[in-house]
Structure formats: C-alpha cells, structure tokens
C-alpha cells in the first residue's frame, strides 16, 4: 500500500550560476525514492530530466540546458511527492561567442579527453586528464563495489596510467557485462594500435635511409680530413673553429629572437594563468562567497561548497591551490566557532539546537558539539532555578518581568505551562480544587506559591526539550546524510552509551534541585542546615494555609505527570513522588491543626441565632429566630452531638477508608465515646433543669387546699396540679421538638420516669385512702398514664 510523501524541496544548488550545459549538484529534501521516482526536473524553465542523475533522496546531479530565462527556480517532480518547490535560484550566464578573426586568450585542446578520476580523495591534481576508452568499444560499467575490487586486487589499480595497473581490474570495472565478441574486437583494436605505432617508426626510418647514408659519408669525409690535417695552427684546430662559429651563430640567434621568445613565454604564462583562473574560479571565489553566505545565514550553501572544495582540493599538491584552500579552512574554522557560540547560547529552541549541531557535524567540528550543548543546557536550567529562588526571596518581580517572556519562546507568554497543564488536568478529572486567585495570580498570593509555580513552569518548559535533545543524541537523528556517510552517527551512539550515566546524573540533579528548592520554601525542617543555606532563606513564620498547600500539591503533581509522560525512568522521578507525599502529610497536619483551632474558636463566634430555613427532619438546627435561653442552647448542642455521632463521624470514616487510610475504627470509636460522654452530661443537665420544676410542683399541688385522701368529696375530674404538670410536659415536648424530634422520646421518657417516681413516692406516703380518695387517686394515675403512654418505660409503668 503506497503512502504519499512530502513534496520535494530544493534548498541548495552548486554552482548557483553558469553557462548552458554547466554540471550542477542539486541538494534538498524528499528528492525521490529512486531514479524511477524522478519524473521531472526543470532549471530556469528548461527540462533537464534527460541529463539528471539521481544520487540520493537529498542529491541530484544534472546539466543546465539553454533556457530562455536568465534566472529561475529549480523544480523537482516525483511520483511519490508531486511537484516540488525551491528556496534557491540559478542564474544562467550567456555564452560569449568568438569569431574566426577574434583574438582568444585560451588555446582550446580539441582532443577527446575526459576526467577519469574515480576517487576524489586521492592526491591527484585536478589538471591531470586521461585518454578515453583505450579499447575502442562501448564502456559498460558493472555493479562490483570498489571495496570488493580493492580486496581482490590488493596493491593494484584499475587506472591505466598507474604503475600498478591491473588489466583484470580494468575489465571487471568497465566491461563486466561486455560480450565475448566485443572483447575480441577490443583485442584487435589494441593490436592495430600497437602495429600502427611500430610501422610508423619503421616507415620513418625507411623513408630517410638515403639521407642517413649521405650524412654518414659526410661525417666520414670530415673525419678523414681532420686526420690528414693534424697540424695545429694559430687559430686552433678545425673543430675548435667550428665550435666557435656555432657559438657565435647561437648568440646571434638568441639576440635576434630574445624579445620575441620573451613575449611568447609571457603570453604562454598569462594564457595558462587565465585558463587556471577560469577553470578553477570556484575555488578562488570560495573564501569571499563563504564570508557573504555566513553574513546572510546561508550555512547550508557554505557547507555544500566546502564539501565540494574539500573533495577536489583537500589533498592537492599545487601550491596556489593549497594557499587558497588554507584560506577556505580559516574561514570555515571561524564559522565553526560562530556556530558553536550560537549552539551554547541560552535560552534557545530545540529546533535551533539541532540545526547548529547538524551544521557543526557536517563541518567536522572537533569534539562533540551535541554533548557540549547538553552540558550547557543542564547548567543553564540549574542556574535559572536558583536565580528564580533568589528573585522571589528578594521580591524583585519587576526586574524579571521581561526576562520571563524569553523563557517561553515556544509557548504562550500569557499563560504558564503549569497553568495550561493544570487546566487540562481539571477538565480530564471533571473539575478540581480552585485556589482563590485573581487574573494576575499567582503574584497576588503568597510568595512561596508563586515561586513553586514559576519553578515547576521552568522545569516543564525546559526539561522536555532537554530530554528530547538527549534522545536525538542517542539515536543519531541529529546528523544529516553526510554525517551518516562519514560514520558520525555510529560515533554519536557510542559516545551516548558511554555518557548515559552522566546524563542520568544531570536529570537527577535537576529533579533534586527542584525538590530541595520546594522543600526550602515549604518544608524547611526536612533539610539540613547546609542545604538550608543553599535552598532556603525564606522569612520565618510565613506558613501557608491548607488551601494554598493544596494548590502547591496540585502544581507539583501536574509537573510530575508532565515529566512522566516523557517516559523518563521512574527512579529519576521518585524524589518528586516523595516530595508529594511529604507535602500531603504536611498539608493534612496543617489543615487538621487549623481545623482544631477553628473549632476551638467556634464558641467565641457563636451568637445562638439560627434562621428558620429548614425543618427538624433535615438534621440541621432550626428554631424560631432569636436569642436562645440556656435550656435551648443545651438542646442545640445535644442535637449537634447526635448528628455528629450518627452522620458526621460515619461519613468521615467512610471517606478515610475509601482513600485507604488505616486506623479509622479506632478514631471513630474514640471520637464517639467522647461525644457520647459529652452528650450524657449535657442531657442529664437538661433533664434536671426541666424535670425538677415539674416534679417539685406535684406535692404542693396535690395537697393544695388542705386536701386529704381520707376525707374527700366524690371525684368530679382531674385536679389542677396534674393538668399543670401535663401542660409543663407538653411545653418541654414542644421545645425539644422544635430543635430535634429525635430527642423527644429520649427527653420525655426521662421526665416521665421522674414524674412517675415522684407520684409513686407520694402515693406510698399516704397512710390510708377513703373510698372517694382511692377513686380520685386512681383517676389521676390513669389519666397521667394514658396521657404519657407514648413515653412510658418499663420502670415508669
């Protein structure tokens, strides 16, 4: 199943200008998956597909055609990505035409020569050109790798001009797929060329044979003449005279042609210099081009040109080339220093860091720039955290107002990273705790809370990029295709394996610094004195309340979840989990202490005025609005005690058990025992206050008007003292019911017991009853029993 790739993108062309049929190298991204995938290539509007050679997904070599446009883009079209785009352009220069009568400073060699250099790293001068195709048949390159040929023929070469030339190597490399008949033709061609050379020399000798004989006769005659004339004359011998004549002739010729020959030599040297300058203008212009491209920031172009110059002139022995190439190396050295400075600048984005590391690797910078960047980022994060601590302690928020925006170069300056993560976390959890804050929070809250949020914000913003940079360093994705070919990827992986423990210590140091700074602000008692001097310094007595501590816990937890999402090992984040546990315990203790203090101060705040907004069935205190008397206050407290025992404590125990809290049974039991003891004391006090007046009124009322059980009139109804007692009991019932109907049976049962006990005592004190007295007594006892039937206990019955 095919997958659509990104469209091609051309980012560089070298050279970027030239005449038609200039050979250029195109570099970019997504330039196709193979030669068959490349279906279109145009430069300045001219179709150059016929001359295109697909090298890789980032490199294509072709020749520029005679386009109409002087300057235009380079458009690559592939089957997988479609039409591409270009960030660079090519300038087409016009060819200068020379007429037959025009002077030319260059002598054109019309022989069929071409460059046969196969290995650009060999120390062969670029001027060395080799004759083409010595066999005279079509060359059919095979697919045998160069490495295999070198292993099969150690110390030999396939170069026909080499002293260690191997014919077998040459045939395998250039004619491995040629037929046997073609090889026969090649052998005949070689024989003809050899015979032609031999026959040419022999024919030359045969044609001048008579001349050779005449010369030999003349030399013999001269020799005989010299032997006959053996006497010395004043002028010297004949040979001496001949030598003098020849020397004078030579001097005369030199005098006549010295100026002409000098001009010719000067013209030849000028012509050769112009030829070299024209042919190698790329090298001579390279230092200036490098300087210009560095100023424009076109580092890719500089790297491509440098790679080309290095492959062509890196091992040259020509002094002028060595001098210019040395200048190129000087400029490249300055560029390496510039890129390294930019790489180590802080703050910087992850994209820029990767880009500068790739540039430095392509320029073969010494050392390990990626690791240097990791060390610099680690040092900067630690320094930033410590600086924020000093900043908040000194209260210099205005000084850092502008600097804080530069820290969030990849995010929203208006909202911190912790704030965004916390908002998303609350949405995922269906809401959560909201600390009191204004629009400019956290600066409106305590300094410690603002510091913790800023500290975690720094860690969340910087540590993920720091971790991703390390992952890229480990898997070798920081390097370009050139780096992969040069073995830098494997070298990087090897270095990463060796430095894995060092990076682990860096992460540990960052997390430990975060934890200790938070502890110094919120849990100073958990640090040693030496640690407090480094990470503390906050004002004493600036303890946070429970809601602010809860907000801090939420902030730290969100940062822990964000770091855990990066797949950082849990052992490196364990210190943050320990901090969260200590913060939760501290928050719980502070909350419980604050709650205990608030409960202690409830008596000071109580005004005993309750609005009548709920009924007695809700369990919420509700009485007619107004100040309460002492007995009503006792009822309110009794109702509260009952609610605590039946609802509040049980709900607390359920919540604690649900969250895995141990020891809830003991806590509940002790709390209920204390509440029950308090309830019993309050209940006895209330019953005593209500029962004593009722019980105390029975005996005076019973014997009012000198009533005598032994001498009384027939009963006509219940006497007033009993009615008064029932009315008082009804009043108590109404008062208790208004507060809590659940207390009614308990209170009235005790009051009825007291009344029944007093009635029993009074009846037992009567020595005797008359008939009418007995009827009156039974009537009053039955009425009292029937009226209080619902609240009778076994003892009161």
């Amino acid at each position: 199943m095919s997958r659509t790739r990104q469209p091609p993108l051309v980012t560089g062309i070298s050279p970027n200008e030239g005449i038609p049929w200039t050979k250029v190298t195109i570099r970019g991204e997504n330039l196709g998956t193979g030669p068959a995938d490349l279906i279109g290539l145009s430069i300045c509007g001219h179709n150059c597909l016929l001359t295109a050679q697909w090298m890789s997904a980032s490199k294509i070599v072709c020749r520029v055609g005679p386009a109409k446009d002087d300057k235009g883009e380079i458009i690559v079209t592939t089957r997988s990505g479609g039409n591409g785009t270009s960030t660079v352009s090519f300038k087409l220069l016009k060819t200068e035409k020379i007429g037959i009568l025009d002077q030319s400073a260059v002598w054109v060699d019309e022989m069929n020569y071409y460059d046969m250099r196969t290995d650009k790293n060999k120390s062969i001068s670029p001027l060395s050109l080799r004759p083409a195709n010595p066999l005279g048949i079509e060359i059919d390159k095979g697919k045998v790798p160069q490495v295999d040929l070198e292993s099969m023929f150690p110390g030999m070469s396939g170069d026909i001009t080499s002293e260690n030339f191997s014919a077998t190597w040459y045939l395998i490399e250039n004619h491995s797929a040629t037929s046997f008949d073609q090889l026969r033709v090649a052998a005949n061609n070689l024989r003809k060329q050899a015979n032609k050379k031999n026959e040419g020399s022999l024919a030359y000798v045969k044609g001048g044979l008579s001349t050779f004989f005449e010369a030999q006769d003349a030399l013999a005659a001269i020799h005989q003449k010299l032997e006959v004339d053996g006497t010395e004359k004043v002028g010297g011998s004949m040979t001496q005279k001949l030598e003098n004549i020849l020397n004078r002739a030579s001097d005369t010729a030199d005098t006549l042609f010295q100026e002409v020959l000098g001009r010719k030599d000067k013209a030849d040297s000028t012509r050769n210099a112009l030829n070299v300058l024209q042919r190698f203008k790329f090298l001579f212009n390279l230092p200036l081009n490098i300087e210009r491209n560095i100023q424009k920031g076109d580092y890719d172009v500089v790297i491509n040109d440098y790679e080309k110059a290095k492959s062509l002139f890196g091992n040259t022995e020509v002094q002028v080339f060595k001098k210019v190439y040395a200048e190129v190396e000087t400029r490249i050295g300055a560029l390496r220093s510039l890129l390294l400075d930019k790489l180590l600048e802080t703050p910087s984005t992850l994209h820029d860091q990767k880009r500068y590391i790739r540039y430095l690797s392509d320029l073969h910078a010494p050392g390990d720039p990626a690791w240097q960047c990791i060390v610099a980022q680690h040092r900067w994060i630690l320094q930033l955290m410590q600086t924020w601590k000093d900043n908040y302690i000194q209260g210099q928020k205005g000084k850092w107002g502008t600097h804080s925006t530069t820290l969030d170069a990849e995010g929203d300056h208006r909202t911190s990273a912790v704030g965004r993560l916390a908002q998303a976390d609350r949405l995922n959890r269906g809401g959560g705790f909201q600390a009191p804050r204004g629009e400019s929070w956290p600066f409106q809250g305590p300094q410690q809370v603002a510091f913790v949020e800023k500290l975690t914000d720094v860690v969340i913003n910087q540590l993920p990029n720091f971790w991703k940079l390390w992952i890229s360093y480990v898997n070798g994705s920081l390097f370009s295709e050139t780096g992969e070919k040069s073995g830098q990827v494997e070298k990087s992986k090897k270095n990463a394996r060796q430095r894995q423990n060092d990076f682990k210590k860096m992460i540990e140091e960052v997390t430990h610094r975060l934890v200790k700074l938070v502890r110094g602000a919120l849990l100073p008692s958990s640090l040693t004195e030496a640690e407090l001097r480094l990470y503390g310094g906050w004002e004493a007595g600036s303890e946070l309340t429970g809601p602010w501590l809860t907000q801090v816990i939420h902030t730290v937890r969100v940062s822990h979840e964000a770091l855990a999402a990066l797949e950082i090992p849990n052992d490196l984040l364990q210190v943050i989990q320990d901090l969260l546990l200590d913060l939760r315990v501290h928050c719980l203790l502070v909350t419980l202490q604050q709650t205990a203090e608030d409960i202690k101060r409830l008596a000071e705040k109580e005004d005993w005025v309750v609005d009548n907004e709920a009924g007695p069935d809700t369990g919420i205190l509700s009485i007619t609005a107004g100040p309460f008397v002492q007995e009503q206050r006792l009822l309110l407290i009794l109702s509260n005690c009952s609610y605590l025992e039946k609802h509040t404590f049980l709900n607390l125990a359920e919540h604690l058990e649900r969250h895995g809290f141990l020891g809830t049974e003991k806590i509940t039991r002790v709390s209920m025992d204390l509440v029950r003891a308090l309830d019993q004391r309050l209940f006895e006090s209330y019953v005593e206050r209500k029962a004593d007046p009722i019980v105390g009124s029975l005996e005076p009322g019973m014997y009012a008007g000198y009533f005598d059980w032994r001498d009384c009139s027939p009963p006509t109804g219940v006497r007033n003292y009993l009615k008064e007692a029932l009315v008082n009991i009804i009043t108590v019932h109404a008062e208790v019911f208004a507060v809590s109907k659940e207390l009614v049976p308990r209170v009235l049962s005790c009051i009825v017991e007291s009344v029944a006990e007093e009635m029993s005592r009074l009846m037992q004190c009567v020595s005797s009853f008359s008939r009418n007295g007995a009827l009156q007594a039974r009537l009053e006892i039955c009425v009292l029993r029937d009226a209080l039937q619902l609240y009778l206990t076994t003892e009161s019955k």
Side-chain angles (χ1 to χ4, degrees):
M1 182 176 180
S2 64
R3 178 172 62 88
T4 303
R5 295 171 59 88
Q6 294 292 330
L9 175 62
V10 176
T11 59
I13 182 170
S14 179
N16 58 5
E17 62 180 11
I19 62 175
W21 307 115
T22 299
K23 188 176 182 180
V24 296
T25 300
I26 300 172
R27 297 186 182 272
E29 302 174 0
N30 307 314
L31 301 183
T33 59
D37 192 37
L38 182 63
I39 61 174
L41 174 59
S42 65
I43 301 178
C44 298
H46 184 269
N47 188 0
C48 302
L49 184 61
L50 292 177
T51 62
Q53 290 181 328
W54 186 90
M55 310 301 291
S56 66
S58 61
K59 180 179 178 181
I60 296 175
V61 177
C62 72
R63 291 188 179 274
V64 181
K68 296 180 181 180
D69 299 332
D70 293 339
K71 189 173 184 180
E73 295 182 338
I74 302 94
I75 304 300
V76 178
T77 305
T78 61
R79 298 182 188 274
S80 58
N83 292 331
T85 56
S86 173
T87 61
V88 296
S89 60
F90 184 84
K91 183 178 181 181
L92 189 64
L93 304 178
K94 294 183 179 180
T95 306
E96 182 178 356
K97 296 182 180 181
I98 301 176
I100 57 175
L101 299 179
D102 296 332
Q103 294 183 355
S104 174
V106 178
W107 290 345
V108 180
D109 187 358
E110 296 180 352
M111 293 182 63
N112 183 21
Y113 282 90
Y114 75 105
D115 190 353
M116 291 206 41
R117 289 174 297 141
T118 57
D119 188 356
K120 294 183 179 180
N121 291 323
K122 292 182 179 179
S123 57
I124 301 176
S125 172
L127 295 173
S128 61
L129 299 175
R130 317 292 165 78
N133 197 1
L135 297 183
I137 60 176
E138 183 179 358
I139 295 178
D140 190 357
K141 291 281 186 178
K143 297 183 179 180
V144 181
Q146 192 76 12
V147 179
D148 295 344
L149 290 173
E150 293 176 355
S151 62
M152 288 189 293
F153 305 100
M156 306 301 289
S157 172
D159 188 354
I160 61 177
T161 63
S162 174
E163 296 179 355
N164 301 322
F165 172 70
S166 172
T168 307
W169 183 332
Y170 179 83
L171 291 175
I172 293 175
E173 183 178 13
N174 297 285
H175 299 284
S176 60
T178 305
S179 64
F180 186 72
D181 293 337
Q182 287 290 331
L183 292 177
R184 280 183 175 179
V185 173
N188 292 332
N189 292 338
L190 287 176
R191 292 191 189 98
K192 290 179 180 180
Q193 292 179 18
N195 293 335
K196 185 177 179 180
K197 290 181 179 180
N198 294 333
E199 290 175 358
S201 301
L202 184 59
Y204 178 77
V205 173
K206 288 180 179 180
L209 189 59
S210 59
T211 305
F212 293 152
F213 289 153
E214 292 176 358
Q216 185 179 8
D217 294 340
L219 290 174
I222 293 173
H223 180 69
Q224 185 179 3
K225 180 69 174 176
L226 290 175
E227 286 181 348
V228 173
D229 188 10
T231 60
E232 293 287 338
K233 295 184 178 180
V234 178
S237 64
M238 183 178 180
T239 56
Q240 184 65 39
K241 292 180 180 180
L242 182 60
E243 181 180 357
N244 293 334
I245 292 172
L246 292 176
N247 288 334
R248 289 196 301 271
S250 177
D251 293 339
T252 303
D254 290 341
T255 302
L256 293 175
F257 295 100
Q258 184 176 8
E259 184 178 357
V260 176
L261 294 176
R263 288 198 300 268
K264 180 181 181 301
D265 293 340
K266 187 175 181 181
D268 290 342
S269 62
T270 303
R271 188 178 297 110
N272 291 334
L274 291 174
N275 186 22
V276 170
L277 288 174
Q278 179 65 23
R279 190 170 182 180
F280 300 102
K281 65 178 182 180
F282 162 73
L283 177 63
F284 295 118
N285 294 334
L286 187 55
L288 182 59
N289 289 336
I290 289 176
E291 193 68 28
R292 291 175 178 174
N293 289 326
I294 290 176
Q295 293 177 359
K296 293 188 295 184
D298 293 338
Y299 303 124
D300 287 312
V301 177
V302 175
I303 293 173
N304 290 336
D305 291 345
Y306 173 65
E307 287 293 332
K308 178 181 177 182
K310 186 176 182 180
S311 64
L312 292 175
F313 309 102
N315 298 319
T316 183
E317 297 297 331
V318 181
Q319 291 300 321
V320 64
F321 293 161
K322 291 177 68 175
K323 182 177 180 180
V324 178
Y325 184 73
E327 179 66 22
V328 171
E329 285 289 356
T330 302
R331 302 293 176 90
I332 293 299
L335 177 59
R336 292 192 189 104
S337 301
L338 174 65
L339 292 176
L340 185 60
D341 293 340
K342 288 182 175 291
L343 175 63
L344 301 182
E345 283 182 359
T346 53
S348 60
T349 63
L350 180 62
H351 173 74
D352 289 340
Q353 293 168 4
K354 290 183 175 181
R355 188 161 58 96
Y356 293 137
I357 291 173
R358 178 171 59 84
Y359 289 154
L360 288 169
S361 67
D362 290 345
L363 291 174
H364 308 285
D368 193 346
W371 180 250
Q372 289 178 277
C373 180
I374 291 174
V375 172
Q377 288 296 312
H378 168 252
R379 190 184 303 112
W380 179 68
I381 292 174
L382 294 178
Q383 180 183 359
L384 190 62
M385 296 167 67
Q386 196 71 25
T387 303
W388 275 117
K389 190 267 292 186
D390 298 336
N391 169 55
Y392 272 93
I393 289 179
Q394 297 173 4
Q396 297 175 346
K397 293 184 288 293
K399 177 181 178 181
W400 286 80
T402 57
H403 181 68
S404 60
T405 59
T406 62
L407 303 178
D408 303 326
E410 300 181 16
D412 188 354
H413 300 171
R414 297 167 296 177
T415 307
S416 66
V418 174
R420 297 192 297 272
L421 290 173
Q423 184 179 5
D425 180 67
R426 285 193 294 271
L427 294 175
N428 293 335
R429 299 172 183 267
F433 172 80
Q434 294 285 347
R437 62 174 71 185
E439 293 182 358
S440 59
W441 195 90
F443 297 103
Q444 291 182 349
Q447 284 286 82
Q448 292 97 319
V449 178
F451 167 65
V452 171
E453 174 147 341
K454 175 53 68 176
L455 190 64
T456 53
D457 194 35
V458 169
V459 174
I460 290 177
N461 273 330
Q462 302 303 326
L463 202 57
N465 290 340
F466 185 61
W467 178 261
K468 292 175 183 176
L469 181 62
W470 164 255
I471 296 299
S472 301
Y473 179 63
V474 170
N475 58 31
S477 61
L478 292 174
F479 305 99
S480 63
E481 183 180 355
T482 304
E484 295 177 1
K485 293 180 180 179
S486 62
Q488 289 182 332
V489 174
E490 294 301 325
K491 182 180 178 182
S492 171
K493 292 181 179 179
K494 181 180 179 181
N495 292 338
R497 288 191 296 268
Q498 295 175 350
R499 290 165 173 162
Q500 189 169 2
N501 290 332
D502 294 336
F503 182 78
K504 183 178 180 181
K505 292 179 181 178
M506 290 181 180
I507 296 293
E508 287 180 351
E509 190 172 0
V510 172
T511 54
H512 279 75
R513 181 68 59 87
L514 169 66
V515 169
K516 288 181 180 179
L517 287 173
V518 175
R519 288 183 180 276
L522 304 177
L523 303 171
S525 60
S526 63
L527 298 178
T528 63
E529 293 183 2
E531 290 175 338
L532 277 176
R533 286 193 293 270
L534 290 175
Y535 309 114
W538 298 87
E539 294 182 2
S542 56
E543 294 289 337
L544 298 181
T545 59
W548 288 117
L549 285 173
T550 305
Q551 176 63 24
V552 169
I553 292 173
H554 182 72
T555 300
V556 177
R557 189 187 70 220
V558 169
S559 64
H560 176 269
E561 293 174 355
L563 297 180
L566 297 174
E567 300 181 357
I568 297 178
N570 289 330
D571 57 333
L572 299 179
L573 302 178
Q574 184 61 41
V575 290
I576 302 181
Q577 295 179 357
D578 297 341
L579 172 65
L580 284 171
L581 178 60
D582 292 345
L583 285 175
R584 289 189 179 101
V585 173
H586 180 65
C587 178
L588 181 61
L589 292 176
V590 170
T591 303
L592 292 177
Q593 293 173 359
Q594 186 65 38
T595 304
E597 294 295 329
D598 293 342
I599 292 174
K600 290 179 182 179
R601 289 194 294 267
L602 283 178
E604 302 173 1
K605 299 179 181 179
E606 184 59 66
D607 56 3
W608 300 105
V609 176
V610 180
D611 294 333
N612 188 17
E613 296 179 355
D617 295 337
T618 63
I620 303 174
L621 306 184
S622 175
I623 295 184
T624 303
F628 297 151
V629 297
Q630 193 69 22
E631 292 81 1
Q632 290 176 323
R633 296 181 181 182
L634 290 175
L635 280 177
L636 292 175
I637 298 174
L638 284 172
S639 179
N640 287 339
C641 290
S642 176
Y643 191 82
L644 284 174
E645 181 180 354
K646 295 180 180 180
H647 300 283
T648 304
F649 287 155
L650 295 179
N651 289 339
L652 285 174
E654 181 182 354
H655 279 78
L656 292 174
E657 290 176 355
R658 187 185 307 164
H659 292 83
F661 190 82
L662 302 178
T664 55
E665 294 182 1
K666 180 179 179 181
I667 295 174
T668 305
R669 184 177 66 256
V670 172
S671 301
M672 285 189 173
D673 291 343
L674 293 174
V675 170
R676 286 169 183 167
L678 174 63
D679 176 85
Q680 187 62 31
R681 293 197 301 271
L682 294 175
F683 179 76
E684 291 175 357
S685 176
Y686 179 78
V687 170
E688 182 180 356
R689 287 172 178 269
K690 291 298 182 181
D692 287 352
I694 298 175
V695 172
S697 65
L698 290 178
E699 185 175 4
M702 180 181 291
Y703 294 103
Y706 303 100
F707 179 81
D708 188 358
W709 293 105
R710 292 171 295 182
D711 182 14
C712 60
S713 58
T716 58
V718 178
R719 290 185 294 166
N720 290 334
Y721 82 94
L722 194 59
K723 294 179 181 178
E724 182 180 353
L726 289 175
V727 169
N728 290 333
I729 293 174
I730 292 172
T731 301
V732 174
H733 179 281
E735 182 179 279
V736 176
F737 186 84
V739 175
S740 174
K741 70 176 183 179
E742 296 177 356
L743 288 175
V744 172
R746 182 184 176 191
V747 173
L748 291 186
S749 296
C750 290
I751 294 178
V752 170
E753 282 185 7
S754 299
V755 172
E757 182 180 359
E758 181 64 17
M759 289 293 292
S760 174
R761 184 187 67 80
L762 292 175
M763 292 301 175
Q764 291 175 3
C765 291
V766 178
S767 58
S768 62
F769 292 91
S770 64
R771 180 179 179 82
N772 291 335
L775 289 175
Q776 185 68 39
R778 183 171 180 80
L779 174 64
E780 292 176 355
I781 290 174
C782 289
V783 169
L784 186 63
R785 182 194 63 192
D786 293 343
L788 303 176
Q789 182 67 37
L790 293 176
Y791 306 107
L792 292 178
T793 63
T794 303
E795 187 171 348
S796 61
K797 287 180 181 180

